[in-house]
């Protein structure tokens, strides 16, 4: 959303020249609430953007301040309302839990606020403290308190129960959508669909090879001007492709084919007995309880 509508119009026009773009293509703009108003949203809609992903994170001003966000709760709500007035009928917002000193009451209030906004998609992520970041330093100095695992699990279960109880499908570990509103873009990652990434630091995947453009902007531009793509890549072996299908598939509500882990069925059955995995129509999926230890389950299966 730092881009203006003129820049987006140029990009979309160039894509139309170089690719066959479906008339019903999902064109998502990632946006920060503080960058948007009704006029800008209307302009984005007119150039072809038909889906917004808005990085709200929280509707609590105190928590937004703690994590260094530029917007406040009122701006977040106003942005969603303005987007709907501008004609957007496919809206996604990001929320975070596990924020420093966040209470269960605040988290429930954020969920209920989101549900009251008539949006179609919600992505929810648990805060991770990355070494070297300001939050990590504040935690190390005991200026903010990291929430314990039991609380984080309770927050996640509350999220799942509240959203699914209000008609949302829990179609990926961190993603919830009303029927028909799954993110097409993100779903490509999870269902092994090839994709092309354009621009510095963008990733691409062709089914066997993963590649990523260099992140330095000046070097990337220089390479393009010299008619070469500055990137790195890795070839995936057959075993690595299989492992990725298992790892990514178990993150979704569709799961994986039972035959993919035929050699691990005793392990699978153990998890089924403990209520952590489920088998239906030859498909294996993780239960809500199983999602809490999904990484461990995946390690055992690959």
């Amino acid at each position: 959303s730092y881009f203006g509508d003129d820049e987006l119009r140029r990009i979309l026009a160039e894509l139309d020249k170089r690719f066959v773009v479906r008339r019903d293509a999902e064109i998502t703009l990632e946006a920060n609430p503080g960058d948007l108003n009704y006029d800008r949203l209307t302009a984005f809609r007119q150039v072809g953007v038909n889906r917004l992903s808005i990085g709200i994170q929280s509707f609590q001003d105190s928590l937004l301040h703690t994590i260094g966000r530029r917007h406040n709760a009122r701006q977040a709500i106003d942005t969603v309302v303005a987007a709907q007035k501008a004609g957007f009928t496919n809206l996604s917002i990001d929320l975070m839990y596990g924020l420093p000193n966040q209470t269960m009451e605040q988290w429930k209030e954020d969920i209920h606020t989101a549900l009251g906004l008539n949006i179609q998609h919600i992505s929810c992520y648990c805060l991770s403290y990355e070494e070297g970041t300001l939050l990590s330093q504040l935690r190390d100095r005991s200026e903010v308190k990291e929430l314990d695992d039991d609380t984080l699990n309770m927050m996640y279960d509350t999220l799942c129960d509240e959203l699914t109880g209000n008609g949302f499908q829990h179609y990926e570990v961190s993603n919830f959508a009303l029927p028909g509103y799954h993110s097409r873009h993100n779903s490509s990652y999870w269902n092994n669909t090839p994709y092309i990434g354009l621009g510095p630091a963008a990733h691409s995947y062709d089914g066997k090879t993963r590649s990523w453009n260099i992140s330095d902007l000046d070097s990337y531009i220089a390479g393009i001007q010299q008619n070469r793509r500055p990137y790195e890549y890795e070839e995936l072996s057959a075993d690595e492709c299989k492992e990725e299908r298992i790892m990514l598939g178990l993150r979704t509500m569709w799961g994986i084919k039972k035959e993919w882990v035929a050699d691990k069925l005793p392990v699978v059955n153990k998890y089924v007995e403990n209520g952590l995995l489920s088998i239906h129509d030859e498909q294996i999926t993780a239960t809500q309880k199983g999602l809490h230890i999904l990484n461990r389950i995946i390690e055992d299966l690959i």
Side-chain angles (χ1 to χ4, degrees):
S1 53
Y2 284 121
F3 264 13
D5 54 297
D6 286 340
E7 287 88 349
L8 282 175
R9 183 180 289 107
R10 288 174 57 198
I11 289 175
L12 293 174
E14 200 66 32
L15 290 172
D16 273 332
K17 291 179 184 177
R18 298 171 184 270
F19 299 92
V20 177
V21 181
R22 287 168 43 175
R23 295 182 65 86
D24 68 339
E26 181 180 275
I27 302 175
T28 302
L29 179 74
E30 292 204 0
N32 290 315
D35 300 333
L36 301 176
N37 57 41
Y38 174 77
D39 290 339
R40 293 200 73 201
L41 287 161
T42 301
F44 289 145
R45 188 75 184 90
Q46 290 174 345
V47 302
V49 177
N50 55 24
R51 183 176 183 271
L52 292 177
S53 177
I54 306 172
I56 289 176
Q57 316 310 344
S58 176
F59 294 103
Q60 311 289 330
D61 285 341
S62 60
L63 297 178
L64 289 170
H65 177 74
T66 298
I67 61 176
R69 302 296 292 186
R70 291 186 290 111
H71 66 274
N72 59 38
R74 186 70 257 168
Q75 285 177 303
I77 294 171
D78 289 346
T79 296
V80 172
V81 173
Q84 291 165 336
K85 288 182 179 179
F88 284 94
T89 58
N90 192 351
L91 295 177
S92 176
I93 67 169
D94 288 353
L95 293 178
M96 295 188 74
Y97 63 96
L99 299 176
N101 306 316
Q102 185 180 30
T103 66
M104 183 63 75
E105 289 69 27
Q106 287 176 319
W107 179 230
K108 288 180 179 178
E109 185 178 330
D110 276 356
I111 296 170
H112 294 157
T113 300
L115 287 170
L117 289 174
N118 191 30
I119 53 179
Q120 292 72 39
H121 189 283
I122 302 177
S123 297
C124 296
Y125 304 99
C126 182
L127 175 70
S128 59
Y129 288 79
E130 301 292 341
E131 289 302 320
T133 62
L134 177 59
L135 274 179
S136 177
Q137 295 168 9
L138 292 174
R139 178 199 59 185
D140 294 343
R141 296 199 298 264
S142 299
E143 295 181 35
V144 298
K145 182 180 179 182
E146 184 174 3
L147 302 188
D148 61 85
D149 287 343
D150 287 342
T151 300
L152 295 178
N153 286 334
M154 287 175 59
M155 286 181 161
Y156 185 71
D157 285 337
T158 297
L159 168 72
C160 297
D161 294 342
E162 291 281 352
L163 294 188
T164 57
N166 281 275
F168 281 78
Q169 294 177 328
H170 188 187
Y171 75 103
E172 194 271 342
V173 171
S174 303
N175 288 272
F176 303 78
L178 294 177
Y181 288 95
H182 302 161
S183 168
R184 296 186 197 171
H185 171 268
N186 291 350
S187 294
S188 296
Y189 302 145
W190 304 317
N191 63 25
N192 212 41
T193 299
Y195 53 87
I196 296 174
L198 306 174
H203 286 233
S204 301
Y205 173 64
D206 65 6
K208 294 183 179 179
T209 304
R210 294 200 182 281
S211 61
W212 52 95
N213 299 337
I214 62 173
S215 59
D216 182 76
L217 179 59
D218 292 333
S219 299
Y220 180 82
I221 291 174
I224 296 301
Q225 289 174 336
Q226 297 165 17
N227 200 32
R228 62 179 178 84
R229 176 190 167 207
Y231 73 102
E232 300 177 57
Y233 70 95
E234 63 175 348
E235 297 279 356
L236 300 178
S237 67
D239 285 344
E240 287 173 327
C241 287
K242 176 184 175 182
E243 289 175 0
E244 288 213 357
R245 286 202 308 272
I246 294 170
M247 176 185 69
L248 296 173
L250 279 177
R251 292 181 62 88
T252 72
M253 70 178 191
W254 302 283
I256 62 174
K257 294 182 179 179
K258 187 177 176 181
E259 63 189 54
W260 293 356
V261 289
D263 58 332
K264 298 284 188 176
L265 287 184
V267 178
V268 170
N269 290 333
K270 179 189 70 174
Y271 281 122
V272 171
E273 291 169 6
N274 291 325
L276 301 167
L277 290 177
S278 176
I279 302 178
H280 183 70
D281 290 339
E282 299 300 305
Q283 291 288 118
I284 300 172
T285 56
T287 64
Q288 184 172 314
K289 181 180 175 183
L291 291 176
H292 287 296
I293 61 163
L294 186 59
N295 288 340
R296 187 188 312 169
I297 294 173
I298 291 171
E299 284 180 13
D300 284 348
L301 295 184
I302 64 176

PDB file of all heavy atoms in Angstrom, residues 265-296:
ATOM      1  N   LEU A 265       2.812 -46.166   9.018  1.00  0.00           N
ATOM      2  CA  LEU A 265       1.454 -46.344   9.535  1.00  0.00           C
ATOM      3  C   LEU A 265       1.404 -46.691  11.022  1.00  0.00           C
ATOM      4  O   LEU A 265       0.482 -46.252  11.720  1.00  0.00           O
ATOM      5  CB  LEU A 265       0.711 -47.396   8.708  1.00  0.00           C
ATOM      6  CG  LEU A 265       0.297 -46.940   7.301  1.00  0.00           C
ATOM      7  CD1 LEU A 265      -0.507 -48.012   6.591  1.00  0.00           C
ATOM      8  CD2 LEU A 265      -0.493 -45.631   7.370  1.00  0.00           C
ATOM      9  N   PRO A 266       2.352 -47.469  11.557  1.00  0.00           N
ATOM     10  CA  PRO A 266       2.320 -47.685  13.011  1.00  0.00           C
ATOM     11  C   PRO A 266       2.423 -46.380  13.796  1.00  0.00           C
ATOM     12  O   PRO A 266       1.752 -46.207  14.829  1.00  0.00           O
ATOM     13  CB  PRO A 266       3.535 -48.591  13.256  1.00  0.00           C
ATOM     14  CG  PRO A 266       3.712 -49.326  11.958  1.00  0.00           C
ATOM     15  CD  PRO A 266       3.386 -48.312  10.908  1.00  0.00           C
ATOM     16  N   VAL A 267       3.250 -45.454  13.296  1.00  0.00           N
ATOM     17  CA  VAL A 267       3.375 -44.147  13.947  1.00  0.00           C
ATOM     18  C   VAL A 267       2.073 -43.361  13.805  1.00  0.00           C
ATOM     19  O   VAL A 267       1.581 -42.752  14.759  1.00  0.00           O
ATOM     20  CB  VAL A 267       4.552 -43.353  13.332  1.00  0.00           C
ATOM     21  CG1 VAL A 267       4.649 -41.970  13.973  1.00  0.00           C
ATOM     22  CG2 VAL A 267       5.856 -44.111  13.497  1.00  0.00           C
ATOM     23  N   VAL A 268       1.509 -43.403  12.596  1.00  0.00           N
ATOM     24  CA  VAL A 268       0.241 -42.713  12.342  1.00  0.00           C
ATOM     25  C   VAL A 268      -0.843 -43.239  13.281  1.00  0.00           C
ATOM     26  O   VAL A 268      -1.581 -42.468  13.907  1.00  0.00           O
ATOM     27  CB  VAL A 268      -0.192 -42.885  10.873  1.00  0.00           C
ATOM     28  CG1 VAL A 268      -1.622 -42.374  10.675  1.00  0.00           C
ATOM     29  CG2 VAL A 268       0.769 -42.164   9.941  1.00  0.00           C
ATOM     30  N   ASN A 269      -0.935 -44.556  13.384  1.00  0.00           N
ATOM     31  CA  ASN A 269      -1.980 -45.165  14.225  1.00  0.00           C
ATOM     32  C   ASN A 269      -1.830 -44.769  15.690  1.00  0.00           C
ATOM     33  O   ASN A 269      -2.823 -44.587  16.402  1.00  0.00           O
ATOM     34  CB  ASN A 269      -1.949 -46.687  14.074  1.00  0.00           C
ATOM     35  CG  ASN A 269      -2.419 -47.131  12.698  1.00  0.00           C
ATOM     36  OD1 ASN A 269      -3.207 -46.439  12.056  1.00  0.00           O
ATOM     37  ND2 ASN A 269      -1.932 -48.269  12.235  1.00  0.00           N
ATOM     38  N   LYS A 270      -0.595 -44.622  16.128  1.00  0.00           N
ATOM     39  CA  LYS A 270      -0.360 -44.189  17.515  1.00  0.00           C
ATOM     40  C   LYS A 270      -0.935 -42.790  17.734  1.00  0.00           C
ATOM     41  O   LYS A 270      -1.589 -42.517  18.748  1.00  0.00           O
ATOM     42  CB  LYS A 270       1.141 -44.205  17.820  1.00  0.00           C
ATOM     43  CG  LYS A 270       1.499 -43.754  19.235  1.00  0.00           C
ATOM     44  CD  LYS A 270       2.992 -43.578  19.403  1.00  0.00           C
ATOM     45  CE  LYS A 270       3.504 -42.368  18.632  1.00  0.00           C
ATOM     46  NZ  LYS A 270       4.938 -42.079  18.894  1.00  0.00           N
ATOM     47  N   TYR A 271      -0.693 -41.919  16.777  1.00  0.00           N
ATOM     48  CA  TYR A 271      -1.209 -40.553  16.896  1.00  0.00           C
ATOM     49  C   TYR A 271      -2.736 -40.529  16.773  1.00  0.00           C
ATOM     50  O   TYR A 271      -3.400 -39.702  17.413  1.00  0.00           O
ATOM     51  CB  TYR A 271      -0.569 -39.647  15.851  1.00  0.00           C
ATOM     52  CG  TYR A 271       0.833 -39.184  16.220  1.00  0.00           C
ATOM     53  CD1 TYR A 271       1.927 -39.437  15.404  1.00  0.00           C
ATOM     54  CD2 TYR A 271       1.042 -38.473  17.397  1.00  0.00           C
ATOM     55  CE1 TYR A 271       3.205 -39.007  15.737  1.00  0.00           C
ATOM     56  CE2 TYR A 271       2.314 -38.025  17.750  1.00  0.00           C
ATOM     57  CZ  TYR A 271       3.392 -38.299  16.922  1.00  0.00           C
ATOM     58  OH  TYR A 271       4.653 -37.865  17.275  1.00  0.00           O
ATOM     59  N   VAL A 272      -3.283 -41.418  15.949  1.00  0.00           N
ATOM     60  CA  VAL A 272      -4.739 -41.505  15.831  1.00  0.00           C
ATOM     61  C   VAL A 272      -5.344 -41.927  17.161  1.00  0.00           C
ATOM     62  O   VAL A 272      -6.346 -41.367  17.631  1.00  0.00           O
ATOM     63  CB  VAL A 272      -5.143 -42.489  14.709  1.00  0.00           C
ATOM     64  CG1 VAL A 272      -6.649 -42.750  14.750  1.00  0.00           C
ATOM     65  CG2 VAL A 272      -4.740 -41.938  13.342  1.00  0.00           C
ATOM     66  N   GLU A 273      -4.747 -42.929  17.799  1.00  0.00           N
ATOM     67  CA  GLU A 273      -5.243 -43.414  19.084  1.00  0.00           C
ATOM     68  C   GLU A 273      -5.216 -42.331  20.151  1.00  0.00           C
ATOM     69  O   GLU A 273      -6.075 -42.299  21.047  1.00  0.00           O
ATOM     70  CB  GLU A 273      -4.403 -44.613  19.543  1.00  0.00           C
ATOM     71  CG  GLU A 273      -4.593 -45.867  18.699  1.00  0.00           C
ATOM     72  CD  GLU A 273      -3.560 -46.937  19.029  1.00  0.00           C
ATOM     73  OE1 GLU A 273      -2.778 -46.726  19.985  1.00  0.00           O
ATOM     74  OE2 GLU A 273      -3.528 -47.962  18.325  1.00  0.00           O
ATOM     75  N   ASN A 274      -4.249 -41.425  20.045  1.00  0.00           N
ATOM     76  CA  ASN A 274      -4.115 -40.350  21.028  1.00  0.00           C
ATOM     77  C   ASN A 274      -4.899 -39.097  20.643  1.00  0.00           C
ATOM     78  O   ASN A 274      -4.788 -38.057  21.316  1.00  0.00           O
ATOM     79  CB  ASN A 274      -2.644 -39.991  21.222  1.00  0.00           C
ATOM     80  CG  ASN A 274      -1.871 -41.101  21.926  1.00  0.00           C
ATOM     81  OD1 ASN A 274      -2.416 -41.779  22.794  1.00  0.00           O
ATOM     82  ND2 ASN A 274      -0.619 -41.294  21.554  1.00  0.00           N
ATOM     83  N   GLY A 275      -5.683 -39.197  19.560  1.00  0.00           N
ATOM     84  CA  GLY A 275      -6.521 -38.071  19.162  1.00  0.00           C
ATOM     85  C   GLY A 275      -5.785 -36.925  18.513  1.00  0.00           C
ATOM     86  O   GLY A 275      -6.286 -35.787  18.495  1.00  0.00           O
ATOM     87  N   LEU A 276      -4.600 -37.198  17.980  1.00  0.00           N
ATOM     88  CA  LEU A 276      -3.779 -36.143  17.383  1.00  0.00           C
ATOM     89  C   LEU A 276      -3.849 -36.129  15.861  1.00  0.00           C
ATOM     90  O   LEU A 276      -3.618 -35.090  15.229  1.00  0.00           O
ATOM     91  CB  LEU A 276      -2.321 -36.296  17.837  1.00  0.00           C
ATOM     92  CG  LEU A 276      -2.137 -36.239  19.357  1.00  0.00           C
ATOM     93  CD1 LEU A 276      -0.744 -36.709  19.752  1.00  0.00           C
ATOM     94  CD2 LEU A 276      -2.377 -34.818  19.866  1.00  0.00           C
ATOM     95  N   LEU A 277      -4.149 -37.267  15.269  1.00  0.00           N
ATOM     96  CA  LEU A 277      -4.373 -37.377  13.828  1.00  0.00           C
ATOM     97  C   LEU A 277      -5.709 -38.064  13.597  1.00  0.00           C
ATOM     98  O   LEU A 277      -6.222 -38.771  14.468  1.00  0.00           O
ATOM     99  CB  LEU A 277      -3.255 -38.179  13.150  1.00  0.00           C
ATOM    100  CG  LEU A 277      -1.863 -37.557  13.055  1.00  0.00           C
ATOM    101  CD1 LEU A 277      -0.886 -38.542  12.406  1.00  0.00           C
ATOM    102  CD2 LEU A 277      -1.890 -36.236  12.277  1.00  0.00           C
ATOM    103  N   SER A 278      -6.242 -37.859  12.397  1.00  0.00           N
ATOM    104  CA  SER A 278      -7.499 -38.495  12.016  1.00  0.00           C
ATOM    105  C   SER A 278      -7.360 -39.057  10.611  1.00  0.00           C
ATOM    106  O   SER A 278      -6.672 -38.468   9.763  1.00  0.00           O
ATOM    107  CB  SER A 278      -8.633 -37.462  12.059  1.00  0.00           C
ATOM    108  OG  SER A 278      -9.842 -38.022  11.600  1.00  0.00           O
ATOM    109  N   ILE A 279      -7.979 -40.218  10.359  1.00  0.00           N
ATOM    110  CA  ILE A 279      -7.963 -40.823   9.016  1.00  0.00           C
ATOM    111  C   ILE A 279      -9.395 -40.928   8.524  1.00  0.00           C
ATOM    112  O   ILE A 279     -10.267 -41.480   9.200  1.00  0.00           O
ATOM    113  CB  ILE A 279      -7.310 -42.217   9.029  1.00  0.00           C
ATOM    114  CG1 ILE A 279      -5.880 -42.144   9.568  1.00  0.00           C
ATOM    115  CG2 ILE A 279      -7.302 -42.806   7.616  1.00  0.00           C
ATOM    116  CD1 ILE A 279      -5.192 -43.499   9.656  1.00  0.00           C
ATOM    117  N   HIS A 280      -9.638 -40.381   7.326  1.00  0.00           N
ATOM    118  CA  HIS A 280     -10.970 -40.450   6.721  1.00  0.00           C
ATOM    119  C   HIS A 280     -10.815 -40.500   5.203  1.00  0.00           C
ATOM    120  O   HIS A 280     -10.126 -39.657   4.617  1.00  0.00           O
ATOM    121  CB  HIS A 280     -11.800 -39.225   7.122  1.00  0.00           C
ATOM    122  CG  HIS A 280     -13.203 -39.260   6.598  1.00  0.00           C
ATOM    123  ND1 HIS A 280     -14.153 -40.145   7.080  1.00  0.00           N
ATOM    124  CD2 HIS A 280     -13.818 -38.528   5.625  1.00  0.00           C
ATOM    125  CE1 HIS A 280     -15.284 -39.943   6.442  1.00  0.00           C
ATOM    126  NE2 HIS A 280     -15.109 -38.978   5.548  1.00  0.00           N
ATOM    127  N   ASP A 281     -11.417 -41.502   4.580  1.00  0.00           N
ATOM    128  CA  ASP A 281     -11.346 -41.666   3.122  1.00  0.00           C
ATOM    129  C   ASP A 281      -9.893 -41.650   2.625  1.00  0.00           C
ATOM    130  O   ASP A 281      -9.557 -40.977   1.648  1.00  0.00           O
ATOM    131  CB  ASP A 281     -12.143 -40.562   2.418  1.00  0.00           C
ATOM    132  CG  ASP A 281     -13.645 -40.724   2.621  1.00  0.00           C
ATOM    133  OD1 ASP A 281     -14.080 -41.853   2.931  1.00  0.00           O
ATOM    134  OD2 ASP A 281     -14.359 -39.725   2.478  1.00  0.00           O
ATOM    135  N   GLU A 282      -9.047 -42.376   3.334  1.00  0.00           N
ATOM    136  CA  GLU A 282      -7.641 -42.532   2.949  1.00  0.00           C
ATOM    137  C   GLU A 282      -6.850 -41.223   3.030  1.00  0.00           C
ATOM    138  O   GLU A 282      -5.762 -41.117   2.472  1.00  0.00           O
ATOM    139  CB  GLU A 282      -7.513 -43.122   1.540  1.00  0.00           C
ATOM    140  CG  GLU A 282      -8.125 -44.514   1.402  1.00  0.00           C
ATOM    141  CD  GLU A 282      -7.479 -45.543   2.340  1.00  0.00           C
ATOM    142  OE1 GLU A 282      -6.246 -45.690   2.283  1.00  0.00           O
ATOM    143  OE2 GLU A 282      -8.215 -46.170   3.128  1.00  0.00           O
ATOM    144  N   GLN A 283      -7.403 -40.221   3.723  1.00  0.00           N
ATOM    145  CA  GLN A 283      -6.692 -38.964   3.941  1.00  0.00           C
ATOM    146  C   GLN A 283      -6.378 -38.823   5.426  1.00  0.00           C
ATOM    147  O   GLN A 283      -7.213 -39.137   6.278  1.00  0.00           O
ATOM    148  CB  GLN A 283      -7.531 -37.767   3.493  1.00  0.00           C
ATOM    149  CG  GLN A 283      -7.739 -37.653   1.992  1.00  0.00           C
ATOM    150  CD  GLN A 283      -6.487 -37.238   1.254  1.00  0.00           C
ATOM    151  OE1 GLN A 283      -5.985 -37.993   0.421  1.00  0.00           O
ATOM    152  NE2 GLN A 283      -5.973 -36.060   1.535  1.00  0.00           N
ATOM    153  N   ILE A 284      -5.179 -38.370   5.718  1.00  0.00           N
ATOM    154  CA  ILE A 284      -4.751 -38.163   7.101  1.00  0.00           C
ATOM    155  C   ILE A 284      -4.721 -36.661   7.382  1.00  0.00           C
ATOM    156  O   ILE A 284      -4.107 -35.892   6.632  1.00  0.00           O
ATOM    157  CB  ILE A 284      -3.353 -38.757   7.345  1.00  0.00           C
ATOM    158  CG1 ILE A 284      -3.342 -40.256   7.063  1.00  0.00           C
ATOM    159  CG2 ILE A 284      -2.894 -38.473   8.769  1.00  0.00           C
ATOM    160  CD1 ILE A 284      -1.948 -40.868   7.097  1.00  0.00           C
ATOM    161  N   THR A 285      -5.392 -36.249   8.440  1.00  0.00           N
ATOM    162  CA  THR A 285      -5.384 -34.842   8.831  1.00  0.00           C
ATOM    163  C   THR A 285      -5.030 -34.722  10.305  1.00  0.00           C
ATOM    164  O   THR A 285      -5.203 -35.663  11.081  1.00  0.00           O
ATOM    165  CB  THR A 285      -6.767 -34.189   8.595  1.00  0.00           C
ATOM    166  OG1 THR A 285      -7.764 -34.943   9.309  1.00  0.00           O
ATOM    167  CG2 THR A 285      -7.115 -34.165   7.115  1.00  0.00           C
ATOM    168  N   ALA A 286      -4.536 -33.566  10.670  1.00  0.00           N
ATOM    169  CA  ALA A 286      -4.240 -33.288  12.073  1.00  0.00           C
ATOM    170  C   ALA A 286      -5.497 -32.775  12.759  1.00  0.00           C
ATOM    171  O   ALA A 286      -6.256 -31.992  12.188  1.00  0.00           O
ATOM    172  CB  ALA A 286      -3.125 -32.259  12.185  1.00  0.00           C
ATOM    173  N   THR A 287      -5.742 -33.229  13.966  1.00  0.00           N
ATOM    174  CA  THR A 287      -6.846 -32.702  14.753  1.00  0.00           C
ATOM    175  C   THR A 287      -6.414 -31.364  15.365  1.00  0.00           C
ATOM    176  O   THR A 287      -5.239 -30.983  15.315  1.00  0.00           O
ATOM    177  CB  THR A 287      -7.227 -33.668  15.881  1.00  0.00           C
ATOM    178  OG1 THR A 287      -6.116 -33.774  16.793  1.00  0.00           O
ATOM    179  CG2 THR A 287      -7.558 -35.050  15.324  1.00  0.00           C
ATOM    180  N   GLN A 288      -7.366 -30.661  15.946  1.00  0.00           N
ATOM    181  CA  GLN A 288      -7.010 -29.399  16.595  1.00  0.00           C
ATOM    182  C   GLN A 288      -5.993 -29.644  17.703  1.00  0.00           C
ATOM    183  O   GLN A 288      -5.035 -28.881  17.872  1.00  0.00           O
ATOM    184  CB  GLN A 288      -8.252 -28.713  17.155  1.00  0.00           C
ATOM    185  CG  GLN A 288      -7.979 -27.346  17.771  1.00  0.00           C
ATOM    186  CD  GLN A 288      -9.253 -26.615  18.140  1.00  0.00           C
ATOM    187  OE1 GLN A 288     -10.191 -26.566  17.348  1.00  0.00           O
ATOM    188  NE2 GLN A 288      -9.310 -26.049  19.324  1.00  0.00           N
ATOM    189  N   LYS A 289      -6.169 -30.721  18.441  1.00  0.00           N
ATOM    190  CA  LYS A 289      -5.206 -31.081  19.478  1.00  0.00           C
ATOM    191  C   LYS A 289      -3.847 -31.384  18.867  1.00  0.00           C
ATOM    192  O   LYS A 289      -2.803 -31.006  19.414  1.00  0.00           O
ATOM    193  CB  LYS A 289      -5.731 -32.307  20.247  1.00  0.00           C
ATOM    194  CG  LYS A 289      -4.849 -32.792  21.367  1.00  0.00           C
ATOM    195  CD  LYS A 289      -5.481 -34.022  22.045  1.00  0.00           C
ATOM    196  CE  LYS A 289      -4.552 -34.612  23.111  1.00  0.00           C
ATOM    197  NZ  LYS A 289      -5.142 -35.843  23.715  1.00  0.00           N
ATOM    198  N   GLY A 290      -3.861 -32.046  17.716  1.00  0.00           N
ATOM    199  CA  GLY A 290      -2.613 -32.398  17.061  1.00  0.00           C
ATOM    200  C   GLY A 290      -1.852 -31.202  16.523  1.00  0.00           C
ATOM    201  O   GLY A 290      -0.613 -31.232  16.423  1.00  0.00           O
ATOM    202  N   LEU A 291      -2.573 -30.136  16.183  1.00  0.00           N
ATOM    203  CA  LEU A 291      -1.908 -28.946  15.647  1.00  0.00           C
ATOM    204  C   LEU A 291      -0.952 -28.326  16.663  1.00  0.00           C
ATOM    205  O   LEU A 291       0.008 -27.657  16.294  1.00  0.00           O
ATOM    206  CB  LEU A 291      -2.947 -27.914  15.206  1.00  0.00           C
ATOM    207  CG  LEU A 291      -3.785 -28.293  13.972  1.00  0.00           C
ATOM    208  CD1 LEU A 291      -4.835 -27.234  13.698  1.00  0.00           C
ATOM    209  CD2 LEU A 291      -2.900 -28.502  12.751  1.00  0.00           C
ATOM    210  N   HIS A 292      -1.209 -28.567  17.954  1.00  0.00           N
ATOM    211  CA  HIS A 292      -0.327 -28.017  18.983  1.00  0.00           C
ATOM    212  C   HIS A 292       1.082 -28.612  18.904  1.00  0.00           C
ATOM    213  O   HIS A 292       2.051 -27.961  19.311  1.00  0.00           O
ATOM    214  CB  HIS A 292      -0.909 -28.276  20.379  1.00  0.00           C
ATOM    215  CG  HIS A 292      -2.098 -27.431  20.699  1.00  0.00           C
ATOM    216  ND1 HIS A 292      -2.037 -26.060  20.792  1.00  0.00           N
ATOM    217  CD2 HIS A 292      -3.390 -27.755  20.949  1.00  0.00           C
ATOM    218  CE1 HIS A 292      -3.230 -25.582  21.094  1.00  0.00           C
ATOM    219  NE2 HIS A 292      -4.074 -26.594  21.192  1.00  0.00           N
ATOM    220  N   ILE A 293       1.191 -29.849  18.423  1.00  0.00           N
ATOM    221  CA  ILE A 293       2.515 -30.491  18.344  1.00  0.00           C
ATOM    222  C   ILE A 293       2.796 -30.937  16.913  1.00  0.00           C
ATOM    223  O   ILE A 293       3.450 -31.947  16.690  1.00  0.00           O
ATOM    224  CB  ILE A 293       2.617 -31.686  19.316  1.00  0.00           C
ATOM    225  CG1 ILE A 293       1.579 -32.767  18.968  1.00  0.00           C
ATOM    226  CG2 ILE A 293       2.472 -31.242  20.757  1.00  0.00           C
ATOM    227  CD1 ILE A 293       1.898 -34.107  19.608  1.00  0.00           C
ATOM    228  N   LEU A 294       2.305 -30.158  15.953  1.00  0.00           N
ATOM    229  CA  LEU A 294       2.396 -30.570  14.552  1.00  0.00           C
ATOM    230  C   LEU A 294       3.838 -30.783  14.108  1.00  0.00           C
ATOM    231  O   LEU A 294       4.125 -31.730  13.368  1.00  0.00           O
ATOM    232  CB  LEU A 294       1.716 -29.535  13.650  1.00  0.00           C
ATOM    233  CG  LEU A 294       1.611 -29.910  12.175  1.00  0.00           C
ATOM    234  CD1 LEU A 294       0.825 -31.208  12.007  1.00  0.00           C
ATOM    235  CD2 LEU A 294       0.952 -28.786  11.388  1.00  0.00           C
ATOM    236  N   ASN A 295       4.739 -29.948  14.539  1.00  0.00           N
ATOM    237  CA  ASN A 295       6.141 -30.101  14.122  1.00  0.00           C
ATOM    238  C   ASN A 295       6.704 -31.448  14.554  1.00  0.00           C
ATOM    239  O   ASN A 295       7.432 -32.109  13.806  1.00  0.00           O
ATOM    240  CB  ASN A 295       7.004 -28.963  14.682  1.00  0.00           C
ATOM    241  CG  ASN A 295       6.728 -27.644  13.996  1.00  0.00           C
ATOM    242  OD1 ASN A 295       6.185 -27.602  12.898  1.00  0.00           O
ATOM    243  ND2 ASN A 295       7.104 -26.551  14.643  1.00  0.00           N
ATOM    244  N   ARG A 296       6.340 -31.871  15.765  1.00  0.00           N
ATOM    245  CA  ARG A 296       6.817 -33.172  16.253  1.00  0.00           C
ATOM    246  C   ARG A 296       6.213 -34.310  15.421  1.00  0.00           C
ATOM    247  O   ARG A 296       6.892 -35.276  15.082  1.00  0.00           O
ATOM    248  CB  ARG A 296       6.445 -33.340  17.728  1.00  0.00           C
ATOM    249  CG  ARG A 296       7.044 -34.581  18.361  1.00  0.00           C
ATOM    250  CD  ARG A 296       6.490 -34.826  19.761  1.00  0.00           C
ATOM    251  NE  ARG A 296       6.521 -33.611  20.564  1.00  0.00           N
ATOM    252  CZ  ARG A 296       5.909 -33.495  21.728  1.00  0.00           C
ATOM    253  NH1 ARG A 296       5.198 -34.520  22.210  1.00  0.00           N
ATOM    254  NH2 ARG A 296       5.970 -32.377  22.428  1.00  0.00           N
TER     255      ARG A 296
END
